[in-house]
Amino acid sequence: MGEHRFSSKWANVFTSVVRLSVFLAPNFAGAQSEWLTWGHDQQRTGWNSSESLLTKENVSRLELKWKTQLPTAAREEVLSTLTAPLVANVNGPRGQVTRVFVAGSDNSVYAIDAGTGEIVWQRRFTNTLTAPTPPDYRCPNTQNATPVIDKAAGTIYISMSDGKLRGLNLLDGEDRMPPASFTAPFARNWSLNLIDGVVYSPTARGCADTPTRFTALDLKDPGRRTLDFFTSAGVPPDSRNREDPSGAWGRGGLVLGPKGIYAQTADGPYDPASGQFGETVVAVSLKTLRLADSYTPANWEYLNRKDLDMGSVSPVIFPFEKWTLLASVGKESAIALLDANNLGGADHHTPLYLSPRWGNGEEMLHDRGVWGSMATWQDDQGQRWLFMPMQGPPAKGAQKFRTSYGDAQRGSIMAFQVLTDRDSGKPRLDPVWISRDMHAPDPPVVANGVIYAFQTGKNATETRSGGKQPGTNGVLYALDAETGLQLYSSEKLIDSFTHFSEPVVAAGKIYVSTWDGKVYAFGLNSR
């Protein structure tokens, strides 16, 4: 977790579930600033607590250090040309070097020198299979999942469009394991999570007529057999509409919590007795993937009817006072705080706290509400924060933020403090600031008191109608995490857009990838 105040209760809860992996080990996480998995850690907090080079005082001196054009070609029907970057320190023949890793939609993997932007090694894997359905922007039949790095083993794990999981040496890209069957070919699965030697990922969207599921592959199992948990058992994908019910397609994939792994599902039937969990936060046990707990909002039928599903977002899990909290939100834009040890209480429908709707008052399916994931941070005073990317304007009639930076009609980052309600003794949210206007922001990340937010620039409505142009260019922003004050903007330095990604901050640099196949690195100038 990298917490400044890592409570004994939190540690005991997680130890009882699983031996903490390398992502949480103090001799690793506290010693080096790296980014080894989506959202930085297994709980998808988006907080790199080990970053110390970039500060509120010097981040205004950011400049573009390099941009590298990768050989993966952009295609109209593929919005995610590159995955979000990962960053790791690697022991090379001449000492330790820092590398940036991305996977391409053409089944490629790249290792880039973090100092120069030079491609150190690259691999491309040919998929000779024929997709059963034609590609489109929802189901492009390509690699999609952000990889995960096992630092202790020196291996990066990648899920490819042929359904195989591959493990490559961080240093030179050589194979570290035979390809293992993981997902269905051409299925759309999401960011990999690695927990105690097991790789996890959810499959969603019904691509290649694949039913929605969570999948686990134990790397220590000689037979490399997978286990699956189906969130809509017995309900096949709709081949006409190219959607599957109850898919978990939040960018963070499956999230580690005290009862196992957690995810939020999309529109679909809700009938727990028959194994159907639409519009639900689901927890399943580690390795065995058996149902451990669930929470379904009381208005799930309304969410289904309006297509305001929760599946667009990954939950985030963090300690707060006596609780282990799970923060949940979706396109509806109302935040629920749940007890991760007892989701939804006895009736599975009662959160500890439910906020008003913060956005998407128009009840729109696209270009509104929350997509991706949230981020969380604990400041030096022990105050817990939650940061949320909002597409479109704030909801009319919602509680006002203490600080606002203008009319944020196209999107914004919203910041909340997590507090304890004096009357109920339960957690609640206090709206602190809303950022300047941003066109469709990606999930923010935080390091050393600075929020890094990326204006994606994408125009989802135009993309769906066959248009080729983004709404505007991508822009990297640095904001004061406590006040929302803008500390830096990349302005016009990035000339393309991005889709379903996140900025990454490690070892004094910020990295972003874009639709046109470029990776950008920003760092401090010498002035």
Side-chain angles (χ1 to χ4, degrees), residues 115-373:
T116 66
E118 177 186 1
I119 299 174
V120 180
W121 59 258
Q122 58 184 295
R123 295 284 305 274
R124 182 170 287 111
F125 300 91
T126 302
N127 183 358
T128 59
L129 303 175
T130 300
T133 52
D136 64 19
Y137 74 94
R138 292 172 298 179
C139 296
N141 296 333
T142 60
Q143 192 286 139
N144 179 73
T146 297
V148 65
I149 292 174
D150 184 339
K151 182 65 181 301
T155 302
I156 182 170
Y157 294 100
I158 310 101
S159 175
M160 294 302 187
S161 68
D162 60 359
K164 303 294 186 181
L165 182 74
R166 288 170 167 81
L168 306 180
N169 190 313
L170 291 175
L171 181 61
D172 55 20
E174 293 301 311
D175 293 325
R176 299 297 298 270
M177 58 177 269
S181 295
F182 186 54
T183 63
F186 305 103
R188 195 155 172 81
N189 67 304
W190 301 82
S191 299
L192 306 183
N193 208 340
L194 177 65
I195 304 165
D196 195 29
V198 181
V199 178
Y200 298 90
S201 180
T203 295
R205 308 300 291 268
C207 301
D209 297 330
T210 303
T212 180
R213 65 186 68 174
F214 304 165
T215 298
L217 190 154
D218 189 341
L219 297 168
K220 298 184 292 295
D221 176 11
R224 298 283 163 80
R225 292 158 293 192
T226 58
L227 289 176
D228 294 298
F229 174 82
F230 292 89
T231 51
S232 195
V235 181
D238 185 337
S239 58
R240 182 183 62 181
N241 294 324
R242 301 290 299 279
E243 292 286 350
D244 61 329
S246 311
W249 52 281
R251 254 154 282 170
L254 300 176
V255 181
L256 177 63
K259 285 193 169 183
I261 53 174
Y262 297 65
Q264 300 180 184
T265 68
D267 300 324
Y270 173 69
D271 182 9
S274 61
Q276 300 178 63
F277 291 95
E279 307 290 5
T280 296
V281 178
V282 176
V284 299
S285 59
L286 293 171
K287 296 187 178 181
T288 61
L289 296 194
R290 294 182 179 178
L291 181 66
D293 206 351
S294 67
Y295 159 76
T296 307
N299 67 340
W300 67 269
E301 291 177 298
Y302 159 78
L303 299 179
N304 262 342
R305 186 170 65 253
K306 293 289 187 177
D307 199 351
L308 297 176
D309 60 275
M310 300 159 59
S312 64
V313 181
S314 300
V316 59
I317 297 178
F318 55 91
F320 176 73
E321 297 185 356
K322 67 178 181 178
W323 311 96
T324 299
L325 293 183
L326 181 149
S328 170
V329 73
K331 298 177 195 172
E332 183 193 22
S333 307
I335 303 173
L337 297 180
L338 311 176
D339 179 355
N341 284 291
N342 186 19
L343 295 176
D347 65 355
H348 298 284
H349 297 291
T350 306
L352 295 173
Y353 166 84
L354 183 63
S355 80
R357 175 178 281 172
W358 295 107
N360 200 6
E362 308 98 322
E363 299 180 325
M364 289 175 59
L365 165 60
H366 294 287
D367 307 314
R368 292 292 187 273
V370 185
W371 300 59
S373 64

Side-chain angles (χ1 to χ4, degrees), residues 52-108:
S52 60
L53 297 177
L54 297 173
T55 68
K56 293 181 184 181
E57 291 71 33
N58 66 21
V59 75
S60 62
R61 292 169 33 213
L62 284 174
E63 65 179 6
L64 179 62
K65 290 297 186 180
W66 51 260
K67 64 178 177 180
T68 297
Q69 176 69 64
L70 300 180
T72 297
R75 293 159 48 192
E76 290 183 20
E77 73 275 12
V78 181
L79 295 181
S80 300
T81 304
L82 302 174
T83 63
L86 301 176
V87 183
N89 298 314
V90 180
N91 292 320
R94 298 182 180 179
Q96 190 176 85
V97 293
T98 302
R99 300 250 172 101
V100 181
F101 300 87
V102 294
S105 58
D106 58 352
N107 291 315
S108 57

Side-chain angles (χ1 to χ4, degrees), residues 420-482:
T420 301
D421 186 83
R422 293 181 180 179
D423 296 328
S424 68
K426 296 180 180 179
R428 65 175 178 86
L429 295 177
D430 180 36
V432 179
W433 57 260
I434 179 172
S435 74
R436 57 157 294 158
D437 186 53
M438 296 184 191
H439 184 96
D442 252 347
V445 299
V446 59
N448 211 12
V450 180
I451 289 289
Y452 298 93
F454 193 67
Q455 169 182 289
T456 66
K458 70 183 179 70
N459 187 327
T461 302
E462 185 175 326
T463 299
R464 289 192 303 277
S465 64
K468 303 176 184 179
Q469 299 299 318
T472 183
N473 67 297
V475 180
L476 174 67
Y477 292 101
L479 312 174
D480 186 312
E482 294 179 292

Side-chain angles (χ1 to χ4, degrees), residues 356-418:
R357 175 178 281 172
W358 295 107
N360 200 6
E362 308 98 322
E363 299 180 325
M364 289 175 59
L365 165 60
H366 294 287
D367 307 314
R368 292 292 187 273
V370 185
W371 300 59
S373 64
M374 295 182 283
T376 185
W377 170 62
Q378 184 172 286
D379 64 27
D380 291 338
Q381 289 72 47
Q383 175 63 57
R384 173 63 64 172
W385 295 74
L386 193 64
F387 305 98
M388 180 171 69
M390 180 64 66
Q391 294 193 25
K396 295 179 180 179
Q399 184 179 349
K400 299 299 182 182
F401 290 83
R402 282 186 245 158
T403 303
S404 174
Y405 292 90
D407 188 19
Q409 288 297 303
R410 298 183 302 170
S412 63
I413 303 298
M414 297 178 173
F416 306 86
Q417 287 184 344
V418 186

Side-chain angles (χ1 to χ4, degrees), residues 6-68:
F6 193 85
S7 69
S8 59
K9 176 180 178 180
W10 177 254
N12 290 338
V13 166
F14 272 80
T15 302
S16 66
V17 178
V18 59
R19 294 186 63 185
L20 298 184
S21 75
V22 294
F23 298 121
L24 301 180
N27 63 348
F28 153 65
Q32 303 179 91
S33 180
E34 299 172 289
W35 199 282
L36 306 181
T37 189
W38 172 273
H40 185 263
D41 50 47
Q42 297 159 314
Q43 294 77 27
R44 307 318 201 198
T45 65
W47 174 21
N48 185 350
S49 62
S50 298
E51 174 57 39
S52 60
L53 297 177
L54 297 173
T55 68
K56 293 181 184 181
E57 291 71 33
N58 66 21
V59 75
S60 62
R61 292 169 33 213
L62 284 174
E63 65 179 6
L64 179 62
K65 290 297 186 180
W66 51 260
K67 64 178 177 180
T68 297

